[in-house]
Amino acid sequence: MQAVTHHVLPLAMPGMLTGTIIGMAQALGETAPLIMIGMVAFIVDIPEGPFDAASALPVQIYLWAENPEKGFAENTSGAIMVLLLFLAFMNSCAVMLRKRLERRW
């Protein structure tokens, strides 16, 4: 247990973080094909807490993009920016943590 916690895990942590971020970026990118296949689950109620049911942001973007009214184009653009900012934030956190946890030989 000490060998794993003191040697293996600290040396493997930068690679594990990088893999996690790459997986999350791929999951965010793969939502469009899943929505086109038929994974649209729309929940009308506004969530009141972190554990309430809510629809995913890519589903909202897809539903707003289909709406012909002009106001929904601004909602779609704003939601896309939020999604991109979240992805950029997660990538910057991964780079910062990888640099901090990386050991030099």
Side-chain angles (χ1 to χ4, degrees), residues 63-78:
L63 292 173
W64 287 338
E66 283 188 337
N67 206 328
E69 295 178 23
K70 186 175 181 168
F72 284 103
E74 293 152 357
N75 288 350
T76 304
S77 301

Side-chain angles (χ1 to χ4, degrees), residues 39-45 54-56 59-60 63-64:
M39 190 189 77
V40 177
F42 182 67
I43 298 172
V44 180
D45 296 334
S55 61
V59 173
Q60 285 297 127
L63 292 173
W64 287 338

Side-chain angles (χ1 to χ4, degrees), residues 79-98:
I80 290 170
M81 284 190 246
V82 166
L83 202 60
L84 288 174
L85 285 174
F86 175 72
L87 186 59
F89 173 73
M90 292 305 293
N91 280 334
S92 63
C93 285
V95 169
M96 186 177 66
L97 285 173
R98 186 178 59 209

